[in-house]
Amino acid sequence: MSTRLPLYRMLNAPLGLEDESELDYVFRSHEGIDPGATALSNGQYTLGKNSDWNPAEHPLTVQCLIERTQLLEVIFGPGGVANTDAKVFLALEWASADSCWRTLGPVYGLWNVEGKSVVLDIELGAGTIRGSGLLSIQAFLGQQSADLIPGFAHQPGARLGPLAYPIDIVIDGDGSLFPVLEESLGVEGPLWELKACWSDPQDEPFSSDYVALVLNSTHPHFELLRDRRTLNSEQSPLMRQVFATWLSLVIFQVKKDMGADFDTYLGAPDADEGIASIADAVRSFIRLGDLNTSALPELFVSTQCWLDRRVREVESAA
Amino acid sequence: MKYHALPLRPMQESGAFLLRALQNEETPLLDLLVRESIQNALDAGRSGNQELPVTVNFHIREHSVDAIASTFSEGLDLQTLRARYVRTPKLLEIRDSGTEGLTGPMTFDNVEANGQHGNFLKLVFEIGRTRADDAAGGSWGLGKTCYFRMGAGLVIYYSRIKAADGYEERLVASLVEDESHVDRLQRTTQTGIAWWGAEHSMQAITAPNHIHEILKTLGAQPFTGTATGTAIIIPLLKENLLPVFDEEGRPAPWWYSSCEDYVNVAIQRWFSARLDNPFFASGRYLRALVNDAEITSADMLPIFRVNQCLYDRAAAEFPAQEDYLTAIGVKSDDALCKFINLRGEFVGNGPAGWLLAVALTPRQLQMDAPDNVPSPETCVFSKSDSGVPHRPLVTFMRSAGMNICWDDSIDSRSWAGGFAGFTDGRYLVALFLPDSEQELLPSAARGLRSNVQNLEGYLRSCERADHAAWVDVNGGRVVEKIRAQCGRALKDFGLPVQPSVTVKPSMRMSRKLAELVLPSRGYGGDGRFGKAAPRAASGQGSGSGSGSRGVAVPSPELEITDVRYTVSAIVMKWCLRWGMLRPSSPREITVSVDSEAGPITFSSWLDSELGVFPFRLGLPQIDTALPAVECKEIAEGSGIRLIVDAEAVQIGLLVTGELQIRMTEFGGKLLRPVVGVRISDSSGGKE
């Protein structure tokens, strides 16, 4: 084993270890869309909770507020990395192997002067991030001290290390998504339709490439699908009826496509490492909802009852 | 020749049964004959010179009834024969050369236990016995029954083979007719099956003079010189071999004018990939002649040239820039080349095969004046053009290169995935070529072999006796998946999905509905619950204890606990975990120079003649109250050897101290030191 020794004093994430008020992260997007960030343990932030935010469509802006007094102490204090007359640059750094890129946000120039909290931000463009990525606060030497002091970096631009442990921003995981699309089908078009273009329900994933509930965004009743009275814009009663019908149609279609294999498939145990196929999803619906697939009318009835039951459960848990 | 009638025995096949054995009444007889005979010839030519083609010559000519009457007088009812064939009958001779011929034993008595039956016995005397190798074209041993359906049921087999002591000629004949038919040719028969051969046993005659005499009466030539091969001679042909062109008010295409012309087109129809194609990738290419007129690639109908070109693009190393499709102006946008991948079927990750497709205008298919070539549908199915939109034409083949069938279904589960054709009048022509070597995952439950089977073997097992379709064995889904994938690709090719700016996912609704009816994880890639749940741990727990302070470690570990800087030195505090690997051996702390390619050690630095080594270690101060630690400078100060009395070494031994890394004036302040620890031994340090 071997260890690289730094040539000058460097930071090793001195902030945020004990007092979390030293740092605060805020996530935003454009057009008033809240990315739905949630802090988990171990510095992990997830996105998308109760949100319309879509990484393919919306940018992500992260803002970091740093309490100034403590910041000056760790940089210019006795154990710091720069002399008190030096200037240090601070910036947020995004690095993501999944997204295949890294970048620095706008630089903040810091002198050893008391003042307001430091605010750093970085914008990650729509369609540029995926998987997960690390966001860290990096310090650089901006302007060297007048005196050459052993142990301090003196080349402008030299990295002085991270001010805090990086946070891990999770964009993609394995959280379930229902394939719902919004499309302009015209004022005269249907309120919704079933997109079913699978060729093999056992071999194609339950995703909008193969199956989707398409909502007509230009239909006069489109707005009635969302219940605007609730804070999170839950689905309206009309939407639940649309959804129940759609589910019944998909289940019925898959049953028809699979023919005699359908009953065998229903009885088989869940695959541990499957592709979450359309057939897997249908099996899951039938099991979770105890749906009656013997005939379409019975299926409609049992699906509606299941959805109403689930809504009540979710509402009572909220 | 001596007549040998097959007596009736328990479980004995009859002539009437054999004439129905192929169970294919829908394919024209001449097509069945072309497919079977060329396939047999190509199988018999597999071991020959791979640079040379397998030559198959179809001869159709008249012959005299006397030629039959004189040779097969024993056993035939000559009166019935002459009554049935008042007009001069015709014969068909299918002659392959450059092939191994009808080799192997001539009687079953000569077959050793578990020995090879050989081509002779399989073709002449056996039904249902097939070739064992997966790559063979034939698979059921029933295809040859189509020979008996071409005429009166009489088939003469002539072959010349390479023997241990020169060459050997063989000639034998068989007759298969409906034993219950009133005007059957055999005088007395219980089975309708008989052979003519040698005098004393039921085997071929081998006397060249006798053979040549018989051939002469039939107008056939013997093989001479070093030539080997087989001639199948089918005399007394039916007069109505040409299929009926049942399109009212429309003229029949030109190949309906004679059997010769029909055979010519049938060869193109079924062997377009292999016919006159030196680029054929999985065996010798086919040289076919009809009445001595060779069918060249340039003579082929455009649809079949297209098919050959698609094959070459998939399998051969032929530059696409110079091929027929390019020559007729096919643009890259009008062609599709796509890997067909199946999930969970193969041992490796490779594709199941290649799908190639092309969209062609009538002009590119030479359907306009002055060529006026019949439409692809007419060429393939011998039926009139169905009009716009034209149904897609998809074919597929195994490595033997015979088109299994031409599929023009527009059903959603068909090879074209329900694509109904281009509305602008273009034709879609596609070919699927499997990757024969792909190994299927063994699964007895899915009807597959429990041992490893390649895709070629599986597809062969999916063919029926007429090789006209692939149907998955019970439980298998390989063909179904291939067809579904091809269908999707062809549908997308024919009807490309227009990217819609108005379509967008409704993310909040997607998340909310998922939370209502789906398990929270597994049906999508959303990040709202964090990273994907890790797979179940397959090994031991992660707490292996590496690096934990005070825990016994096998190898020595050096931890830097503090770093201070002076004008020309770095002072580091360190903690050495001694480790239990060779505990009595000294440990060495070394300093190297960091570089892009890894640390440069002192010796490498000197070997590379880089000048004075930029770092030098001072003797350390040992903090540990361990009296027996001895420190010694090594390698001109680039290392420190720590020696501890063997008796003092205990599990979890820690040595702590402080060490100074001095930097020389030659760039030491710009180079980054790397410190490490290793076990010292007599043959040199080892980290």
Side-chain angles (χ1 to χ4, degrees), chain B residues 464-510:
Chain B
R464 295 189 175 134
D466 56 9
H467 307 285
W470 286 341
V471 180
D472 273 313
V473 297
N474 185 26
R477 297 186 62 230
V478 176
V479 172
E480 181 188 332
K481 286 184 176 183
I482 290 174
R483 192 173 57 236
Q485 295 287 337
C486 287
R488 172 176 289 279
L490 290 177
K491 195 175 178 187
D492 289 347
F493 176 65
L495 297 167
V497 178
Q498 297 300 322
S500 171
V501 292
T502 63
V503 179
K504 63 173 187 174
S506 177
M507 292 304 289
R508 186 195 299 257
M509 194 70 87
S510 297

Short mmCIF file of all heavy atoms in Angstrom, two decimals, chain B residues 464-510:
data_model
loop_
_atom_site.label_atom_id
_atom_site.label_comp_id
_atom_site.label_asym_id
_atom_site.label_seq_id
_atom_site.Cartn_x
_atom_site.Cartn_y
_atom_site.Cartn_z
N ARG B 464 -39.86 -28.96 -39.93
CA ARG B 464 -40.55 -30.20 -40.23
C ARG B 464 -39.89 -30.82 -41.46
O ARG B 464 -38.91 -30.31 -41.99
CB ARG B 464 -42.02 -29.93 -40.46
CG ARG B 464 -42.65 -29.44 -39.17
CD ARG B 464 -44.16 -29.35 -39.24
NE ARG B 464 -44.66 -28.97 -37.92
CZ ARG B 464 -45.57 -28.04 -37.70
NH1 ARG B 464 -46.09 -27.39 -38.70
NH2 ARG B 464 -45.95 -27.77 -36.48
N ALA B 465 -40.46 -31.95 -41.89
CA ALA B 465 -39.81 -32.70 -42.97
C ALA B 465 -39.63 -31.88 -44.24
O ALA B 465 -38.68 -32.06 -44.97
CB ALA B 465 -40.62 -33.95 -43.27
N ASP B 466 -40.54 -30.94 -44.49
CA ASP B 466 -40.42 -30.16 -45.72
C ASP B 466 -39.57 -28.90 -45.52
O ASP B 466 -39.40 -28.12 -46.45
CB ASP B 466 -41.81 -29.78 -46.24
CG ASP B 466 -42.62 -29.02 -45.20
OD1 ASP B 466 -42.05 -28.66 -44.14
OD2 ASP B 466 -43.82 -28.80 -45.44
N HIS B 467 -39.05 -28.68 -44.33
CA HIS B 467 -38.18 -27.52 -44.02
C HIS B 467 -38.84 -26.21 -44.37
O HIS B 467 -38.18 -25.24 -44.72
CB HIS B 467 -36.84 -27.63 -44.77
CG HIS B 467 -36.14 -28.92 -44.53
ND1 HIS B 467 -35.49 -29.21 -43.35
CD2 HIS B 467 -36.00 -30.01 -45.31
CE1 HIS B 467 -34.97 -30.42 -43.43
NE2 HIS B 467 -35.27 -30.94 -44.59
N ALA B 468 -40.16 -26.14 -44.30
CA ALA B 468 -40.85 -24.96 -44.78
C ALA B 468 -41.22 -23.98 -43.68
O ALA B 468 -41.88 -22.98 -43.95
CB ALA B 468 -42.11 -25.38 -45.55
N ALA B 469 -40.83 -24.24 -42.45
CA ALA B 469 -41.15 -23.31 -41.36
C ALA B 469 -40.29 -23.64 -40.17
O ALA B 469 -39.71 -24.72 -40.08
CB ALA B 469 -42.63 -23.43 -40.99
N TRP B 470 -40.17 -22.66 -39.28
CA TRP B 470 -39.57 -22.90 -37.97
C TRP B 470 -40.69 -22.83 -36.94
O TRP B 470 -41.38 -21.82 -36.82
CB TRP B 470 -38.53 -21.83 -37.63
CG TRP B 470 -37.24 -21.95 -38.39
CD1 TRP B 470 -36.77 -23.05 -39.04
CD2 TRP B 470 -36.25 -20.92 -38.57
NE1 TRP B 470 -35.54 -22.78 -39.61
CE2 TRP B 470 -35.21 -21.48 -39.34
CE3 TRP B 470 -36.15 -19.61 -38.15
CZ2 TRP B 470 -34.08 -20.75 -39.70
CZ3 TRP B 470 -35.03 -18.88 -38.51
CH2 TRP B 470 -34.00 -19.46 -39.27
N VAL B 471 -40.86 -23.90 -36.20
CA VAL B 471 -41.86 -23.92 -35.15
C VAL B 471 -41.16 -24.37 -33.88
O VAL B 471 -40.58 -25.46 -33.84
CB VAL B 471 -43.00 -24.90 -35.50
CG1 VAL B 471 -44.04 -24.92 -34.38
CG2 VAL B 471 -43.65 -24.52 -36.82
N ASP B 472 -41.22 -23.53 -32.86
CA ASP B 472 -40.53 -23.85 -31.61
C ASP B 472 -40.92 -25.22 -31.10
O ASP B 472 -42.09 -25.61 -31.16
CB ASP B 472 -40.88 -22.82 -30.53
CG ASP B 472 -39.99 -21.60 -30.58
OD1 ASP B 472 -38.76 -21.79 -30.65
OD2 ASP B 472 -40.51 -20.48 -30.53
N VAL B 473 -39.93 -25.95 -30.56
CA VAL B 473 -40.26 -27.20 -29.89
C VAL B 473 -41.04 -26.83 -28.62
O VAL B 473 -40.96 -25.70 -28.14
CB VAL B 473 -38.99 -28.00 -29.52
CG1 VAL B 473 -38.24 -28.40 -30.77
CG2 VAL B 473 -38.08 -27.19 -28.62
N ASN B 474 -41.78 -27.77 -28.11
CA ASN B 474 -42.65 -27.50 -26.97
C ASN B 474 -41.86 -26.88 -25.82
O ASN B 474 -40.89 -27.46 -25.35
CB ASN B 474 -43.31 -28.80 -26.52
CG ASN B 474 -44.33 -28.55 -25.43
OD1 ASN B 474 -44.88 -27.46 -25.34
ND2 ASN B 474 -44.55 -29.54 -24.60
N GLY B 475 -42.28 -25.71 -25.38
CA GLY B 475 -41.61 -25.05 -24.26
C GLY B 475 -40.57 -24.04 -24.71
O GLY B 475 -40.26 -23.11 -23.97
N GLY B 476 -40.02 -24.23 -25.88
CA GLY B 476 -39.01 -23.28 -26.38
C GLY B 476 -39.67 -22.02 -26.91
O GLY B 476 -40.81 -22.05 -27.39
N ARG B 477 -38.96 -20.91 -26.82
CA ARG B 477 -39.53 -19.65 -27.32
C ARG B 477 -38.53 -18.90 -28.18
O ARG B 477 -38.68 -17.72 -28.42
CB ARG B 477 -39.98 -18.76 -26.14
CG ARG B 477 -41.09 -19.40 -25.31
CD ARG B 477 -41.62 -18.46 -24.25
NE ARG B 477 -42.22 -17.28 -24.85
CZ ARG B 477 -41.93 -16.04 -24.47
NH1 ARG B 477 -41.07 -15.83 -23.51
NH2 ARG B 477 -42.51 -15.01 -25.04
N VAL B 478 -37.50 -19.61 -28.64
CA VAL B 478 -36.44 -18.93 -29.37
C VAL B 478 -36.96 -18.38 -30.70
O VAL B 478 -36.75 -17.21 -31.03
CB VAL B 478 -35.25 -19.89 -29.61
CG1 VAL B 478 -34.19 -19.23 -30.45
CG2 VAL B 478 -34.68 -20.36 -28.28
N VAL B 479 -37.63 -19.22 -31.46
CA VAL B 479 -38.15 -18.76 -32.76
C VAL B 479 -39.18 -17.66 -32.56
O VAL B 479 -39.19 -16.65 -33.26
CB VAL B 479 -38.76 -19.95 -33.53
CG1 VAL B 479 -39.46 -19.46 -34.79
CG2 VAL B 479 -37.68 -20.96 -33.87
N GLU B 480 -40.02 -17.85 -31.57
CA GLU B 480 -41.06 -16.85 -31.29
C GLU B 480 -40.41 -15.50 -30.98
O GLU B 480 -40.85 -14.45 -31.48
CB GLU B 480 -41.89 -17.33 -30.11
CG GLU B 480 -43.03 -16.41 -29.73
CD GLU B 480 -43.68 -16.85 -28.43
OE1 GLU B 480 -43.65 -18.04 -28.11
OE2 GLU B 480 -44.19 -15.97 -27.73
N LYS B 481 -39.35 -15.54 -30.19
CA LYS B 481 -38.70 -14.28 -29.83
C LYS B 481 -37.99 -13.66 -31.02
O LYS B 481 -38.03 -12.43 -31.21
CB LYS B 481 -37.68 -14.52 -28.70
CG LYS B 481 -38.31 -14.76 -27.35
CD LYS B 481 -37.23 -14.89 -26.30
CE LYS B 481 -37.80 -15.04 -24.91
NZ LYS B 481 -36.74 -15.10 -23.89
N ILE B 482 -37.35 -14.51 -31.82
CA ILE B 482 -36.67 -13.98 -33.01
C ILE B 482 -37.71 -13.33 -33.93
O ILE B 482 -37.51 -12.22 -34.44
CB ILE B 482 -35.93 -15.11 -33.76
CG1 ILE B 482 -34.71 -15.58 -32.96
CG2 ILE B 482 -35.50 -14.64 -35.15
CD1 ILE B 482 -34.01 -16.78 -33.56
N ARG B 483 -38.80 -14.03 -34.14
CA ARG B 483 -39.83 -13.50 -35.05
C ARG B 483 -40.39 -12.19 -34.50
O ARG B 483 -40.60 -11.23 -35.24
CB ARG B 483 -40.93 -14.54 -35.22
CG ARG B 483 -41.88 -14.23 -36.36
CD ARG B 483 -42.85 -15.37 -36.62
NE ARG B 483 -43.59 -15.70 -35.43
CZ ARG B 483 -43.64 -16.91 -34.87
NH1 ARG B 483 -42.99 -17.90 -35.44
NH2 ARG B 483 -44.33 -17.13 -33.78
N ALA B 484 -40.61 -12.15 -33.18
CA ALA B 484 -41.16 -10.93 -32.59
C ALA B 484 -40.19 -9.76 -32.74
O ALA B 484 -40.59 -8.64 -33.07
CB ALA B 484 -41.49 -11.17 -31.12
N GLN B 485 -38.91 -10.03 -32.52
CA GLN B 485 -37.92 -8.96 -32.64
C GLN B 485 -37.81 -8.49 -34.09
O GLN B 485 -37.69 -7.29 -34.35
CB GLN B 485 -36.55 -9.45 -32.16
CG GLN B 485 -36.49 -9.78 -30.69
CD GLN B 485 -36.51 -8.53 -29.84
OE1 GLN B 485 -36.16 -7.46 -30.30
NE2 GLN B 485 -36.95 -8.66 -28.61
N CYS B 486 -37.81 -9.44 -35.01
CA CYS B 486 -37.75 -9.06 -36.43
C CYS B 486 -38.98 -8.25 -36.79
O CYS B 486 -38.90 -7.24 -37.50
CB CYS B 486 -37.67 -10.30 -37.32
SG CYS B 486 -36.09 -11.14 -37.27
N GLY B 487 -40.13 -8.69 -36.29
CA GLY B 487 -41.37 -7.99 -36.59
C GLY B 487 -41.35 -6.55 -36.11
O GLY B 487 -41.72 -5.63 -36.82
N ARG B 488 -40.85 -6.38 -34.90
CA ARG B 488 -40.77 -5.02 -34.35
C ARG B 488 -39.84 -4.15 -35.19
O ARG B 488 -40.17 -3.01 -35.54
CB ARG B 488 -40.28 -5.07 -32.91
CG ARG B 488 -39.99 -3.70 -32.32
CD ARG B 488 -39.59 -3.81 -30.88
NE ARG B 488 -40.74 -4.16 -30.06
CZ ARG B 488 -41.64 -3.28 -29.64
NH1 ARG B 488 -41.51 -2.02 -29.96
NH2 ARG B 488 -42.66 -3.65 -28.91
N ALA B 489 -38.69 -4.73 -35.53
CA ALA B 489 -37.70 -3.95 -36.29
C ALA B 489 -38.23 -3.60 -37.67
O ALA B 489 -38.05 -2.46 -38.15
CB ALA B 489 -36.41 -4.74 -36.41
N LEU B 490 -38.89 -4.55 -38.31
CA LEU B 490 -39.39 -4.28 -39.66
C LEU B 490 -40.56 -3.29 -39.62
O LEU B 490 -40.70 -2.45 -40.51
CB LEU B 490 -39.81 -5.58 -40.33
CG LEU B 490 -38.64 -6.50 -40.69
CD1 LEU B 490 -39.13 -7.82 -41.28
CD2 LEU B 490 -37.70 -5.81 -41.68
N LYS B 491 -41.36 -3.42 -38.60
CA LYS B 491 -42.47 -2.46 -38.48
C LYS B 491 -41.93 -1.05 -38.26
O LYS B 491 -42.41 -0.09 -38.86
CB LYS B 491 -43.38 -2.88 -37.32
CG LYS B 491 -44.72 -2.20 -37.33
CD LYS B 491 -45.62 -2.74 -36.26
CE LYS B 491 -46.93 -2.00 -36.25
NZ LYS B 491 -47.76 -2.40 -35.12
N ASP B 492 -40.91 -0.97 -37.40
CA ASP B 492 -40.31 0.35 -37.17
C ASP B 492 -39.64 0.88 -38.43
O ASP B 492 -39.62 2.08 -38.68
CB ASP B 492 -39.28 0.27 -36.04
CG ASP B 492 -39.95 0.06 -34.69
OD1 ASP B 492 -41.18 0.24 -34.62
OD2 ASP B 492 -39.25 -0.28 -33.72
N PHE B 493 -39.05 -0.04 -39.20
CA PHE B 493 -38.40 0.37 -40.45
C PHE B 493 -39.44 0.85 -41.46
O PHE B 493 -39.25 1.87 -42.14
CB PHE B 493 -37.62 -0.82 -41.02
CG PHE B 493 -36.98 -0.56 -42.35
CD1 PHE B 493 -35.97 0.37 -42.48
CD2 PHE B 493 -37.37 -1.27 -43.48
CE1 PHE B 493 -35.37 0.61 -43.71
CE2 PHE B 493 -36.79 -1.04 -44.71
CZ PHE B 493 -35.78 -0.10 -44.83
N GLY B 494 -40.54 0.14 -41.52
CA GLY B 494 -41.57 0.50 -42.48
C GLY B 494 -42.37 1.71 -42.05
O GLY B 494 -42.74 2.54 -42.87
N LEU B 495 -42.61 1.80 -40.76
CA LEU B 495 -43.38 2.92 -40.23
C LEU B 495 -42.59 3.58 -39.12
O LEU B 495 -42.86 3.37 -37.94
CB LEU B 495 -44.72 2.42 -39.65
CG LEU B 495 -45.70 1.76 -40.61
CD1 LEU B 495 -46.79 1.06 -39.84
CD2 LEU B 495 -46.29 2.82 -41.53
N PRO B 496 -41.55 4.32 -39.48
CA PRO B 496 -40.74 4.92 -38.43
C PRO B 496 -41.57 5.83 -37.55
O PRO B 496 -42.42 6.57 -38.05
CB PRO B 496 -39.67 5.72 -39.19
CG PRO B 496 -40.20 5.87 -40.56
CD PRO B 496 -41.12 4.72 -40.82
N VAL B 497 -41.34 5.70 -36.27
CA VAL B 497 -42.09 6.52 -35.31
C VAL B 497 -41.62 7.96 -35.43
O VAL B 497 -40.43 8.25 -35.33
CB VAL B 497 -41.86 6.00 -33.88
CG1 VAL B 497 -42.59 6.86 -32.88
CG2 VAL B 497 -42.32 4.55 -33.79
N GLN B 498 -42.53 8.83 -35.71
CA GLN B 498 -42.17 10.24 -35.84
C GLN B 498 -41.99 10.83 -34.44
O GLN B 498 -42.90 10.74 -33.62
CB GLN B 498 -43.26 11.01 -36.58
CG GLN B 498 -43.47 10.54 -38.01
CD GLN B 498 -42.24 10.69 -38.86
OE1 GLN B 498 -41.49 11.66 -38.74
NE2 GLN B 498 -41.98 9.71 -39.72
N PRO B 499 -40.83 11.38 -34.16
CA PRO B 499 -40.67 11.97 -32.84
C PRO B 499 -41.67 13.11 -32.66
O PRO B 499 -41.80 13.98 -33.51
CB PRO B 499 -39.23 12.50 -32.86
CG PRO B 499 -38.84 12.55 -34.30
CD PRO B 499 -39.67 11.55 -35.02
N SER B 500 -42.40 13.02 -31.59
CA SER B 500 -43.45 14.00 -31.36
C SER B 500 -43.00 14.98 -30.29
O SER B 500 -42.63 14.59 -29.19
CB SER B 500 -44.73 13.29 -30.91
OG SER B 500 -45.67 14.24 -30.49
N VAL B 501 -43.05 16.22 -30.66
CA VAL B 501 -42.65 17.23 -29.68
C VAL B 501 -43.75 17.43 -28.64
O VAL B 501 -43.54 18.05 -27.61
CB VAL B 501 -42.34 18.59 -30.36
CG1 VAL B 501 -41.10 18.48 -31.21
CG2 VAL B 501 -43.53 19.05 -31.21
N THR B 502 -44.90 16.90 -28.95
CA THR B 502 -46.02 17.13 -28.04
C THR B 502 -46.15 16.01 -27.00
O THR B 502 -46.97 16.12 -26.11
CB THR B 502 -47.33 17.25 -28.81
OG1 THR B 502 -47.57 16.00 -29.47
CG2 THR B 502 -47.28 18.36 -29.83
N VAL B 503 -45.35 14.95 -27.16
CA VAL B 503 -45.46 13.85 -26.20
C VAL B 503 -44.43 14.05 -25.10
O VAL B 503 -43.26 14.30 -25.35
CB VAL B 503 -45.19 12.50 -26.90
CG1 VAL B 503 -45.27 11.37 -25.88
CG2 VAL B 503 -46.17 12.27 -28.01
N LYS B 504 -44.88 13.96 -23.88
CA LYS B 504 -43.93 14.03 -22.78
C LYS B 504 -44.46 13.17 -21.63
O LYS B 504 -45.68 13.00 -21.48
CB LYS B 504 -43.71 15.47 -22.33
CG LYS B 504 -44.95 16.14 -21.80
CD LYS B 504 -44.61 17.50 -21.22
CE LYS B 504 -45.81 18.10 -20.53
NZ LYS B 504 -45.51 19.34 -19.85
N PRO B 505 -43.57 12.65 -20.86
CA PRO B 505 -44.04 11.84 -19.74
C PRO B 505 -44.68 12.73 -18.68
O PRO B 505 -44.26 13.87 -18.46
CB PRO B 505 -42.76 11.18 -19.22
CG PRO B 505 -41.65 12.05 -19.70
CD PRO B 505 -42.11 12.69 -20.97
N SER B 506 -45.69 12.21 -18.08
CA SER B 506 -46.32 12.92 -16.97
C SER B 506 -45.71 12.36 -15.70
O SER B 506 -46.19 11.38 -15.13
CB SER B 506 -47.84 12.67 -17.01
OG SER B 506 -48.45 13.30 -15.93
N MET B 507 -44.62 13.01 -15.27
CA MET B 507 -43.80 12.41 -14.23
C MET B 507 -44.52 12.29 -12.89
O MET B 507 -44.47 11.25 -12.25
CB MET B 507 -42.50 13.21 -14.05
CG MET B 507 -41.57 13.13 -15.23
SD MET B 507 -41.14 11.45 -15.68
CE MET B 507 -40.08 10.99 -14.33
N ARG B 508 -45.18 13.34 -12.49
CA ARG B 508 -45.82 13.27 -11.18
C ARG B 508 -46.90 12.18 -11.18
O ARG B 508 -47.01 11.39 -10.26
CB ARG B 508 -46.44 14.62 -10.80
CG ARG B 508 -47.00 14.62 -9.38
CD ARG B 508 -47.92 15.81 -9.18
NE ARG B 508 -47.21 17.06 -9.36
CZ ARG B 508 -46.79 17.86 -8.37
NH1 ARG B 508 -47.02 17.50 -7.13
NH2 ARG B 508 -46.19 18.99 -8.61
N MET B 509 -47.69 12.14 -12.29
CA MET B 509 -48.73 11.12 -12.38
C MET B 509 -48.09 9.73 -12.41
O MET B 509 -48.59 8.79 -11.81
CB MET B 509 -49.56 11.37 -13.64
CG MET B 509 -50.85 10.61 -13.69
SD MET B 509 -52.06 11.22 -12.50
CE MET B 509 -52.83 12.53 -13.43
N SER B 510 -46.97 9.62 -13.12
CA SER B 510 -46.27 8.33 -13.20
C SER B 510 -45.85 7.86 -11.81
O SER B 510 -45.98 6.69 -11.46
CB SER B 510 -45.03 8.45 -14.08
OG SER B 510 -45.38 8.77 -15.39
#
